[in-house]
Amino acid sequence: MELNDRTKAGTVNSTVEDGDRHGYTRDEQDLMRLGKKPVLKRNFGFMQILGFSCTVLVTWEGILQVSTPSLLNGGPAGVFWGYLLIWIGSISVYTVLSELSSMAPTAGGQYHWVAMLAPKSYRKFLSFITGWVTLIGWQATTASSAYLAGTVLQSTILMLQPNYAPKPYQAMLLGWAVLVFAVLINTVGSKTLAHFEGLILILHILGFFAILIPLVYLSEHNNASIFTTFVNSGGWSTQGLSFMVGLPSSVFALVGVDSCVHDKMAEEVKNASKVVPRAIQISVLLNGALGLAMLVAYLFCLGSVDEVVEESATLGYAYLYVFLKGTGSPGGAATMAMIMWVLGVCCLVGLMAATSRQLWSFARDHAVPFSTQVTKLHPRTLIPVNTIAITTFISVLLSFIALGSVVAFSNVVNLSIGGLYASYFIVCALLLWRRLQGISPYNARAAMVGPETLQWGPWKVPGALGIANNLFACAYLLVLWFFSFWPGSVEVNAQSMNFSSVTFGGTVMLAVLWYFVRGRKTYTGPIVEVRI
């Protein structure tokens, strides 16, 4: 039997005999160890998946866009020290996720890992809820990325044409246009996606210098007091509490490398059990270092915090005013803004690919309605076109929220932190519990479809160091998840309320309701399609 015939979706629980394994690659064997048939094409090598992770993470670009809340609660010093704390915490968390991705390099990610790690009596329910929380979080992230691309373009036009009056529907339509581009790259240009991401890694680094050099050279500089200047604009009882409230905004710049690497694209990566963990670690270190360098340059060129915050109310983004003030030229500032906009669009291309694969994987295990139709692949390219279409449709629907309330839409964005950090915490806590009990060494020939057969992958942090890192990751995630639901000030009204607690809680309640109505009958956890 030919390999292509064996990898087509067919009878569930088909058996692969020992003597028949020689026709399979290591990647296919690793996937079959998890009970999954290899059906997706593996187009991504190390540089392509590293480019993919870097462009979705967009840390140095993202930290400029999300710095305003931390300036209000924390000030320049809060932004700097908070970013360092987030970076250290992210390294710890993604180290744990690297261990899990090496252990189980499957497109299911968090919900598949929970099914492997959780106690038998809670396995199905916890896996189902984890999958839905992760799914909704990344659908919201894709939608917000498209809409934000539209608003940045509007703000850039405003710098060039001060008489321009931006309208919410214009940002929505511009976001739709960017979505169309992302869909085309992921479908018609699917064969070029891997090469596209490798190219964007180069642009990601070159763009960093294209922003950093003129910003530092042309702007007036603050002194080193930026590292000790704290601000408490929210009226909190202590500066420490104000710092913690402003801290989660920096999470946006370092969240999501898991979605674009191991739990969404792992089944399209060559030598995934080794390449994926290495790509995760390098992307976090590389992006974190670039983000730190850009943040220090930005803070030294910031000028008056009050002035920047006031002007950002007009332009929409504080960093655009810093560009404009530093260069003294609307054209120069607009050029710098467009560099970041292009990289933001590339981020959306990666998010579209990542989110659609996560939906495809979850539907593959019958956890979403109409799963049979949802999981159909294009017969020629083997691309999950249906999940790409669904992801696009959801992004379009969510964009209508901004027509009535920009505040409501921003809370859809906040859902990503609550959802993803909750899913990270669940898998980190379960892995800590399992590693204290003992996990078997890596065995390429042994099946691993549940806690009874759990084994390490070829990449892990050994001994007490792994336990300590795992414990720190759990503590970090719990604290940041808690403060992600806090409002920006003590005086709360409809405009300043952080509704992410409502959206997160509502998502979990709907998922629980669907589980007891239908999900518990159709979802049994990750389906074993192949036995070895």
Side-chain angles (χ1 to χ4, degrees):
M1 185 183 297
E2 295 297 326
L3 179 61
N4 288 340
D5 293 333
R6 289 180 299 188
T7 58
K8 290 180 181 177
T11 305
V12 175
N13 296 335
S14 60
T15 302
V16 179
E17 301 295 342
D18 287 348
D20 196 33
R21 287 196 191 119
H22 298 293
Y24 294 99
T25 66
R26 172 60 64 85
D27 288 313
E28 289 166 338
Q29 289 186 35
D30 281 343
L31 194 58
M32 289 187 294
R33 288 173 52 243
L34 306 174
K36 292 300 181 184
K37 287 186 176 183
V39 297
L40 297 177
K41 288 186 176 181
R42 294 185 181 268
N43 296 318
F44 290 81
F46 173 73
M47 288 304 297
Q48 287 80 19
I49 203 63
L50 179 62
F52 193 98
S53 64
C54 287
T55 54
V56 172
L57 204 56
V58 288
T59 300
W60 71 260
E61 301 94 331
I63 194 61
L64 297 182
Q65 296 186 4
V66 301
S67 61
T68 302
S70 293
L71 284 174
L72 295 174
N73 281 297
V79 174
F80 175 76
W81 297 110
Y83 177 83
L84 284 181
L85 179 59
I86 296 295
W87 189 19
I88 293 171
S90 297
I91 292 172
S92 175
V93 171
Y94 290 129
T95 297
V96 176
L97 298 186
S98 295
E99 294 178 302
L100 287 164
S101 67
S102 181
M103 183 186 296
T106 170
Q110 284 97 314
Y111 85 88
H112 197 126
W113 298 336
V114 168
M116 292 193 322
L117 299 170
K120 187 175 181 179
S121 57
Y122 300 103
R123 189 182 308 166
K124 186 169 73 170
F125 177 74
L126 282 177
S127 174
F128 185 87
I129 297 303
T130 301
W132 268 101
V133 167
T134 307
L135 175 63
I136 297 300
W138 280 107
Q139 292 288 343
T141 302
T142 303
S144 63
S145 180
Y147 181 77
L148 290 175
T151 58
V152 169
L153 196 55
Q154 278 188 309
S155 297
T156 304
I157 296 172
L158 184 60
M159 284 195 298
L160 298 173
Q161 299 291 336
N163 294 328
Y164 169 61
K167 303 295 183 184
Y169 80 90
Q170 295 170 340
M172 182 184 71
L173 294 177
L174 290 170
W176 289 4
V178 175
L179 273 174
V180 170
F181 174 77
V183 170
L184 290 175
I185 294 294
N186 277 277
T187 53
V188 178
S190 60
K191 291 184 178 180
T192 65
L193 181 59
H195 302 291
F196 177 81
E197 297 298 345
L199 174 64
I200 295 306
L201 174 60
I202 299 174
L203 296 179
H204 177 66
I205 297 175
L206 293 179
F208 168 80
F209 291 105
I211 298 296
L212 183 70
I213 293 173
L215 179 65
V216 172
Y217 182 76
L218 297 174
S219 301
E220 296 182 2
H221 299 161
N222 293 332
N223 54 41
S225 64
I226 60 171
F227 299 116
T228 57
T229 302
F230 290 90
V231 175
N232 181 3
S233 298
W236 300 101
S237 56
T238 66
Q239 182 60 60
L241 183 58
S242 175
F243 171 78
M244 294 305 298
V245 170
L247 192 59
S249 64
S250 296
V251 170
F252 283 105
L254 282 164
V255 72
V257 69
D258 68 296
S259 72
C260 59
V261 184
H262 63 87
D263 60 330
K264 313 307 189 297
M265 304 298 293
E267 294 180 31
E268 298 177 65
V269 180
K270 302 171 186 176
N271 197 16
S273 61
K274 295 181 180 180
V275 167
V276 168
R278 187 163 74 246
I280 292 174
Q281 294 298 303
I282 293 178
S283 63
V284 173
L285 293 173
L286 175 61
N287 276 275
L290 292 178
L292 179 63
M294 182 61 72
L295 181 62
V296 170
Y298 174 68
L299 291 176
F300 269 105
C301 300
L302 190 65
S304 170
V305 175
D306 293 336
E307 182 181 348
V308 169
V309 172
E310 181 180 353
E311 292 296 330
S312 67
T314 302
L315 286 177
Y317 298 95
Y319 75 90
L320 293 179
Y321 176 71
V322 176
F323 287 176
L324 183 60
K325 181 181 178 182
T327 62
S329 167
T335 301
M336 295 168 68
M338 288 306 297
I339 292 174
M340 294 186 60
W341 181 82
V342 168
L343 291 169
V345 172
C346 295
C347 169
L348 179 62
V349 173
L351 284 174
M352 177 66 70
T355 306
S356 62
R357 267 63 169 189
Q358 202 274 343
L359 174 57
W360 177 83
S361 178
F362 205 35
R364 176 175 59 177
D365 292 315
H366 304 305
V368 302
F370 309 107
S371 57
T372 302
Q373 289 73 31
V374 171
T375 55
K376 285 184 177 179
L377 301 175
H378 190 278
R380 183 173 57 85
T381 62
L382 297 182
I383 297 296
V385 291
N386 287 350
T387 56
I388 292 173
I390 293 170
T391 298
T392 304
F393 180 69
I394 292 174
S395 296
V396 169
L397 286 181
L398 290 176
S399 68
F400 280 102
I401 298 176
L403 295 180
S405 172
V406 176
V407 174
F409 187 83
S410 67
N411 284 278
V412 175
V413 178
N414 291 338
L415 181 61
S416 62
I417 284 187
L420 289 176
Y421 264 40
S423 68
Y424 295 168
F425 176 77
I426 293 171
V427 295
C428 285
L430 288 174
L431 181 62
L432 177 62
W433 175 55
R434 287 293 178 185
R435 80 193 305 159
L436 290 174
Q437 292 182 327
I439 298 176
S440 301
Y442 175 63
N443 183 348
R445 285 183 168 271
M448 186 178 64
V449 294
E452 300 82 4
T453 55
L454 198 64
Q455 59 186 264
W456 288 111
W459 192 97
K460 75 182 184 73
V461 181
L465 181 59
I467 295 174
N469 176 72
N470 205 155
L471 184 62
F472 175 77
C474 290
Y476 162 81
L477 287 167
L478 189 60
V479 171
L480 266 293
W481 180 82
F482 173 72
F483 279 102
S484 70
F485 298 116
W486 282 51
S489 63
V490 175
E491 300 296 330
V492 179
N493 52 40
Q495 295 300 314
S496 62
M497 176 61 184
N498 185 346
F499 289 98
S500 59
S501 57
V502 178
T503 52
F504 176 80
T507 300
V508 173
M509 290 179 63
L510 289 174
V512 171
L513 179 63
W514 174 252
Y515 176 80
F516 285 106
V517 170
R518 181 68 178 172
R520 62 190 177 91
K521 302 175 184 178
T522 60
Y523 181 72
T524 59
I527 295 173
V528 179
E529 300 172 333
V530 175
R531 296 188 186 278
I532 62 175

